[in-house]
Every structure is written in C-alpha cells, then in structure tokens.
C-alpha cells in the first residue's frame, strides 16, 4: 500500500471506512492543463460513438453524450444491453469536482421468490432463471437516461435520444456477433410472439449485412423523449410490458414499474500506488473486489516478479476477493455489509499474510461459511468532454439477448438479470459465481453485479475504463488498472491478454496467448489448475486525458471489430 500522507490520508481512510467517497478531488497542480483539448468517446459500437460525438459537437456535455451513446447501444447491441435492462453510470462533474454513481440496476419483482426458480426436484432451473418472464427484473436503464438528462445534461432528451430513435426506425447493418448470438439464443427467442415480430420481421433471422429495423423500439424511445419517466414506467408501454410478462406466465405489477427509482450512491474510493481509484459500490461487487485485490497485491512489486509469480500473486488475491464476494455482498438497501473491513488496508494485509508466495491455496481451504448477516454480453462506454466531465458506464441485459422475451408492440427486450441473484444458496449461476443470504432475492431488491465502471486519477492522468464479461469484468478492469500503472497506452490496455480466477471453480482461466507455456508450467508446479487457451472474452473501452501533455487518447477492445473510440479536438 503506498503511504498516504497527512490529513488527507486520515480523511481518506475515515471516509473509506464510512463507505463515503471524498467528493472533491484535489485541484491539479498549475503546470497541468485545466481542461482537456476536446472530448473523447470509446464504446462497443461505432454508431453509438458517433451519436455521442454528434451531441458533443452540438454543445452537449459528457452526460448528454452518455444519453446518446447509451440509448444507441440499446438499439444497435440488443445482444448486450437495452431499455429492458439496467446499468451503472459513474459520473464526474468537473465544476463541483463531485463523483456520483447512478445505480440503475434492475429490481426483483415481488412474485419472483426463490421457489419460483426451482424445478420439481428442488434444483435451480436455468430455464427459469436465464430465459423468459421469470428471469427478468424491473428495468432500470430508461430511468437512468431520464435522470442523466434532467439532472446532469444540458440538452433535452428529444435531442439526445434523436440518434437512437432514427437508427431504430431506419435500421443499421447486422454484424457477425449479432447474427452468431441470435443463433445461440434462437430456440428461446422464437418462443415469444413479440420477439418473433422483431427478429423474424422479414421471415428469417438477422443476417450479416442486412438492415435491422426496430420501429416499435423507435416509438418507445420517442415516448421516453416526450414524457420522460412516465413514458416508459406508466401508461401504454408499462401496460404492454406487464401484459407480456403475464401472458408468458410471469408476474409484474404496475406499482413495481411506477415505483422504480434510480439510486444515487457514493462511489468507493481507494488508493493504489500513485493512483486514486474511484469505482462501483454495492450492489456492484466490483469496487470492493478491486480494492481487495489491489491492496493485497501492493505488498509485492509486481514489476519485479517473474511472469509466473506475478500471475500467482494476482490469482491468489482474486481468489480471496471472490470468496468474500460470495459470502458478504448484496444490495446495500437490504443487507448490512462489512464494507469498511473489506476495503481496509489492514484486512488486505491479513489476507496477504495468508498467501504462500510459491504455492496455490486450494479454494476449499478458504471455505464460504455463510456470514452471520441478518439475513459475451453487456457493454461499456467511457466519455470525457472538453470541461473535464467524465462518464464511465456499463449497461446490460445480462446473457446474450437477455431473457429472449420482447414485449409485443414495445421493441423492448427484457433482461434475464434475476440469474445474478443467489436463487439457490451455494448453486453457481451462469457465470459460475454463487452467493448466500446477502444476495438472496427479495421484493424490490437489486441483484449483485460485477459491473465495475471505474475512474483512475494520478497527478498527471485522468482515465475512465470498464468492460463487460460477467464475473470476469472485475479482473478485466483490474488488469486494465495494472496496465495503465505499467505505463501502457489506452489502446494497449484495451488489447491486453486476460486471465481470471474467481475462487470457485478453483481454476485459472486464460485467453490463448495470455500465459506462455513456461508460465503455465510454473503455475501448475505451484499447485494451480490452469485452463490456458480459453476463447477470448471482454470488450474494454477506455479514454485517457494526460493533463501534463494535454492530450487525449482512447482504447477500444480489438476483440470487438465493431467498437469505436475517437478523440474530438475542439477549439
Ligand atoms: O451485472 C453483472 O455482473 C452481469 N449481469 C453482467 C453480464 C455480462 O457482463 C455478460 N457479459 N458477458
């Protein structure tokens, strides 16, 4: 842990202890630029990046651009996120210096009790937790767009939603991931008449190069632009969503839709070496896990370790952080969590002491005793504007094409986020992570997430980064932070090969090329099980402002050929 000095150190640790991020970041030294030379956006689809740039050119700020990027991603990446899903938006307001976390996570309908997800033998039924009406939580994304525009933006929703509305109406070219994802979810999606009406409009599934139009979604977005929150959560669209869930055997109430609220939360903040990291609080597990992993790893000089030992130390830190995720974390509105303890450098020191520097700790030796508490898809974008406002946002419908269920007449594809709850204690979900009481479903509760939109700041640099990838989001962002700390460029950070460990299963997953054969051998000799050569994962999008050279740079994950990151120099 780098040394924190003086009163700021004391204040920072007290605030972290209270789980409240310091709201003002110290002003940069005079020799660095006061604001960036323009704006920059990185997102998973070129049309979304272009929509955001168009809004910046029209005089919008980063928050207006975020509405345009987010809504356009909802149209062009239905495989990843959408109005029927949720997300987290980490914001930095340059004028006040404040960081805010908009939690637009889905909430659990009251009818969705744990029993609703079990089959006749009492086992978790993935067909209910991952497909169709029971898998869907009450959507949060439309409320986030309204909040962003009303509270933080300068332009009306009619302007910032215009690009998404136009693209939904006129269509966009189908790309490979959309077609491939559809093929893998087809049998579920084609169960539902509303989904067939959108995806089989011309008689067969979307094919690369075809134009994919969503006129109902254009109308839904227009209602959101015209009427704000009520355009989605009350009246015609809300009725259609509710009816469609009922027609397929599920149960949402009007009050659950009308009662949905975005929560504004204080982000988590901690120090890693010379960086101040600002990141996602619960109901994301990401911020706490990142703090644990980085603070454990800080006991070693990672740059001086040979490759197997660097991976070993990071994996042991990941293992311990994911064990804690399983036991403790959930929706802060429902569970008490020992956040101050989990984030504390002393706790990290204790975990560090339990690591044998040359030998794997089998996960079974770190058991998940339920604590005594009272009870390839998703998408990310990063934006910075000329004033220094910043957005780091991750949004999702959970698995490919969410629940597969489009509510007829709305164009809205519902999420399957309920699978992120611990529906059956100790039973892994689609990402292989499990949980206990802290993450059990309750009416109105938000399911635990791994989405980790993050800011990094040093004396000279300001960075926004994040990624999709289920439980692997946390380690993608971790490797991104370490990459920046090693001096890599934004594009190199986005391209970095990835490895991951999540305590259970007790395996290191690695992309092809991430670990060389010698490193794999050495890790195996330390007692690790290594799955080298897994298919690639993730889609990291990042922007960086170097205040000393006053330059902007961007990184868009090369694993996703339709992503786009661009700098817009503005006079
Ligand atoms: O909130 C979460 O952690 C997950 N629902 C995110 C899903 C995701 O990233 C899927 N991507 N591969």
């Amino acid at each position: 842990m780098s040394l924190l000095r003086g009163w700021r150190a004391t204040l920072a640790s007290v605030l972290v202890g209270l789980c409240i991020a310091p709201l003002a970041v110290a002003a940069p030294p005079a020799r660095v630029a006061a604001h960036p030379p323009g704006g920059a956006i990185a997102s998973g689809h070129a049309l979304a990046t272009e929509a955001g740039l168009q809004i910046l050119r029209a005089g919008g700020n980063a928050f207006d651009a975020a509405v345009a990027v987010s809504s356009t991603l909802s149209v062009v990446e239905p495989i990843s996120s959408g109005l029927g899903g949720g997300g987290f938006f980490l914001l930095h307001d340059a004028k006040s210096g404040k960081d805010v976390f908009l939690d637009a996570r889905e909430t659990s309908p009251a009818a969705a009790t744990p029993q609703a997800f079990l089959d006749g033998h009492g086992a978790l039924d993935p067909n209910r937790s991952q497909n169709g009406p029971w898998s869907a939580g009450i959507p949060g994304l439309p409320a986030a767009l309204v909040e962003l525009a009303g509270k933080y933006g300068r332009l009306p929703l009619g302007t910032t939603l215009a690009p998404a509305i136009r693209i939904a109406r006129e269509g966009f070219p189908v790309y490979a991931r959309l077609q491939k994802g559809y093929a893998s979810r087809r049998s579920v999606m084609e169960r539902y008449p509303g989904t067939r009406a959108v995806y089989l409009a011309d008689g067969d599934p979307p094919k690369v190069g075809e134009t994919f139009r969503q006129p109902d979604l254009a109308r839904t977005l227009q209602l959101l632009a015209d009427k704000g929150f009520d355009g989605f959560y009350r009246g015609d669209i809300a009725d259609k969503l509710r009816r469609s869930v009922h027609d397929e055997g599920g149960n949402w109430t009007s009050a659950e839709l009308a009662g949905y609220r975005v929560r504004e939360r204080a982000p988590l903040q901690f120090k890693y070496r010379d960086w101040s990291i600002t990141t996602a609080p619960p109901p994301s597990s990401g911020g706490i896990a990142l703090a644990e992993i980085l603070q454990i790893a800080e006991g070693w000089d990672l740059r001086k370790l040979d490759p197997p030992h660097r991976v070993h130390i990071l994996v042991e830190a990941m293992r311990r952080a994911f064990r804690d995720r399983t036991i403790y974390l959930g929706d802060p509105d429902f569970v008490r969590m020992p956040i101050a303890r989990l984030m504390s450098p002393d706790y990290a020191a204790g975990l560090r002491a339990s690591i044998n520097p040359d030998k794997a700790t089998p996960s079974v030796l770190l058991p998940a005793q339920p604590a005594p508490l009272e009870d390839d898809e998703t998408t990310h974008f990063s934006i910075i504007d000329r004033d220094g406002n910043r957005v780091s946002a991750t949004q999702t419908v959970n698995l490919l094409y969410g629940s597969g269920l489009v509510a007829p007449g709305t164009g809205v594809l519902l999420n399957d986020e309920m699978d992120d709850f611990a529906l059956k204690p100790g039973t892994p979900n689609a990402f292989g992570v499990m949980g206990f009481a802290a993450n059990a479903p309750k009416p109105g509760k938000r399911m635990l997430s791994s989405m980790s939109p993050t800011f990094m700041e040093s004396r000279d640099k300001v960075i926004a980064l994040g990624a999709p990838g289920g439980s692997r989001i946390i380690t993608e962002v971790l490797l991104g932070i370490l990459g920046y700390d090693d001096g890599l460029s934004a594009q190199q950070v986005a391209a970095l090969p990835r490895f991951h460990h999540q305590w259970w299963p007790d395996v290191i997953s690695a992309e092809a090329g991430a670990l060389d054969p010698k490193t794999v051998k050495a890790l195996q000799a330390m007692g690790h099980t290594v799955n080298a050569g897994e298919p690639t994962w993730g889609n990291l999008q990042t922007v960086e402002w170097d205040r000393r050279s006053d330059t902007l740079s961007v990184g868009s994950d090369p694993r996703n050929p339709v992503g786009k990151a661009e700098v817009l120099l503005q006079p």
Side-chain angles (χ1 to χ4, degrees):
M1 184 71 192
S2 57
L3 287 179
L4 292 165
R5 284 177 212 94
W7 67 269
R8 277 191 66 211
T10 314
L11 177 64
S13 52
V14 168
L15 291 173
V16 164
L18 294 172
C19 178
I20 298 167
L23 291 180
V25 173
R31 62 187 175 74
V32 299
H35 62 77
I41 302 181
S43 92
H45 199 287
L47 288 172
T49 300
E50 282 154 18
L53 294 171
Q54 179 189 324
I55 294 298
L56 289 182
R57 277 193 211 98
N61 61 17
F63 313 119
D64 295 307
V67 174
V69 174
S70 167
S71 54
T72 303
L73 288 172
S74 291
V75 173
V76 300
E77 276 193 322
I79 193 172
S80 298
S81 75
L83 294 190
F88 294 145
F89 296 72
L90 180 61
L91 315 180
H92 174 77
D93 179 59
K95 202 160 160 207
S96 64
K98 281 186 183 165
D99 296 306
V100 174
F101 183 77
L102 292 190
D103 165 3
R105 187 70 164 159
E106 300 88 335
T107 53
S108 174
T113 60
Q115 290 70 31
F117 296 89
L118 303 183
D119 64 17
H121 309 288
L124 180 63
D125 181 359
N127 185 42
R128 294 200 130 209
S129 68
Q130 296 173 18
N131 303 325
W134 286 100
S135 68
I138 306 294
L141 200 79
L145 299 179
V146 173
E147 181 99 352
L148 264 174
K151 211 161 159 191
Y152 299 95
R154 291 181 194 141
L155 303 177
L157 272 178
T159 306
T160 50
L161 290 180
I165 294 171
R166 183 182 54 73
I167 297 166
R169 199 176 47 237
E170 294 175 4
F172 66 91
V174 173
Y175 47 94
R177 196 160 47 94
L178 212 64
Q179 176 181 322
K180 208 167 138 223
Y182 186 86
S184 74
R185 292 290 276 159
R186 184 172 184 176
S187 63
V188 173
M189 297 176 74
E190 293 182 9
R191 289 176 195 166
Y192 307 114
T195 313
R196 290 198 297 273
V198 175
Y199 287 86
L200 304 179
D202 66 353
D204 53 25
K207 266 200 295 298
V208 171
E210 273 179 9
T211 300
F212 183 56
R213 295 185 182 82
Q214 299 166 89
D216 286 341
L217 186 57
R219 273 190 296 276
T220 301
L221 283 160
Q222 189 64 55
L223 273 172
L224 191 65
D226 295 343
K227 299 189 174 168
F229 182 90
D230 288 357
F232 187 89
Y233 291 93
R234 291 195 172 91
D236 183 48
I237 298 299
D239 288 346
K240 285 182 170 145
L241 296 174
R242 205 174 39 78
R243 218 173 312 127
S244 141
V245 166
H246 278 247
D247 289 350
E248 299 301 338
N251 189 355
W252 285 7
T253 67
S254 312
E256 283 168 339
L257 282 157
Y260 183 85
R261 293 291 176 271
V262 169
R263 293 258 184 271
E264 279 207 9
R265 303 190 191 275
L268 297 178
Q269 206 167 45
F270 62 93
K271 284 270 187 192
Y272 173 66
R273 290 165 46 85
D274 294 332
W275 298 97
S276 162
I277 311 277
T278 304
T279 185
S284 171
S285 55
I288 291 173
L290 285 171
E292 278 193 42
I293 297 168
L294 287 166
Q295 293 185 116
I296 293 171
E298 218 168 5
W300 287 267
D301 186 344
L302 292 178
R303 291 168 216 219
K304 294 215 173 111
L305 295 178
D306 59 37
H309 280 89
R310 178 177 165 121
V311 174
H312 169 68
I313 294 303
L314 288 171
V315 161
E316 290 304 319
M318 291 174 190
R319 182 199 307 280
R320 284 155 176 79
F322 272 90
R323 194 279 302 260
D324 286 348
R325 176 196 200 274
T326 312
I327 300 173
Y328 297 113
L329 302 186
D331 180 348
D333 295 340
F334 285 75
V335 287
R336 279 195 291 124
M337 290 170 269
I339 293 178
R341 171 155 71 86
L342 298 178
M343 300 262 316
S344 115
D346 291 342
Y347 180 68
L351 293 178
R352 194 185 306 133
S354 73
I355 295 177
N356 179 330
D358 299 306
K359 199 160 171 280
T361 313
S363 287
V364 287
L365 296 184
L366 299 173
Q369 275 126 8
L373 292 166
E374 52 201 25
D375 178 45
D376 225 71
E377 283 314 317
T378 301
T379 195
H380 180 87
F381 62 88
S382 298
I383 303 180
I384 187 163
D385 71 15
R386 197 185 190 288
D387 296 324
N389 298 310
R390 264 175 274 145
V391 178
S392 180
T394 314
Q395 57 186 48
T396 187
V397 286
N398 197 25
L399 305 176
L400 298 175
Y401 290 105
S403 66
L405 170 59
V406 173
T410 66
V412 176
L413 178 65
L414 301 182
N415 66 84
D416 59 350
E417 222 74 60
M418 291 299 288
D419 193 60
D420 278 350
F421 275 121
L423 295 171
K424 188 171 158 70
T427 301
N429 74 358
F431 299 107
V433 287
M434 24 186 181
F436 296 96
N439 191 30
K442 290 246 168 76
K445 189 173 170 185
R446 292 160 196 236
M447 53 298 278
L448 186 63
S449 174
S450 300
M451 295 187 291
S452 314
T454 295
F455 296 144
M456 299 172 66
E457 275 171 85
S458 67
R459 235 171 31 155
D460 293 338
K461 291 191 176 173
V462 171
I463 290 158
L465 79 163
S471 50
R472 296 175 187 210
I473 290 172
I474 297 171
T475 50
E476 267 179 82
V477 172
L478 169 80
L479 297 178
I481 292 172
L482 295 174
Y484 272 121
D485 186 48
D486 284 342
L488 300 186
S489 70
Q491 190 52 41
Q492 286 170 326
V493 162
L496 264 179
R498 298 183 175 131
F499 61 90
H500 171 81
H501 192 292
Q502 60 180 42
W503 174 69
W504 201 264
D506 190 352
V507 169
I508 301 176
S509 300
E511 291 180 334
L515 306 175
D516 63 55
K518 249 171 71 190
T519 300
V520 171
K521 259 207 172 126
L523 287 165
Q524 286 164 337
M526 291 181 206
H528 292 283
T529 304
V530 186
N531 268 351
E534 287 194 13
T536 60
W537 66 81
N539 185 2
L540 190 140
Q541 305 291 334
T542 180
V543 299
E544 178 190 20
W545 169 36
D546 185 326
R547 294 191 277 197
R548 193 203 284 256
S549 60
D550 200 18
T551 49
L552 287 164
S553 38
V554 288
S556 182
D557 201 316
R559 294 163 186 79
N560 165 25
V562 298
K564 180 171 176 175
E566 190 168 321
V567 172
L568 173 73
L569 291 178
Q570 285 164 312

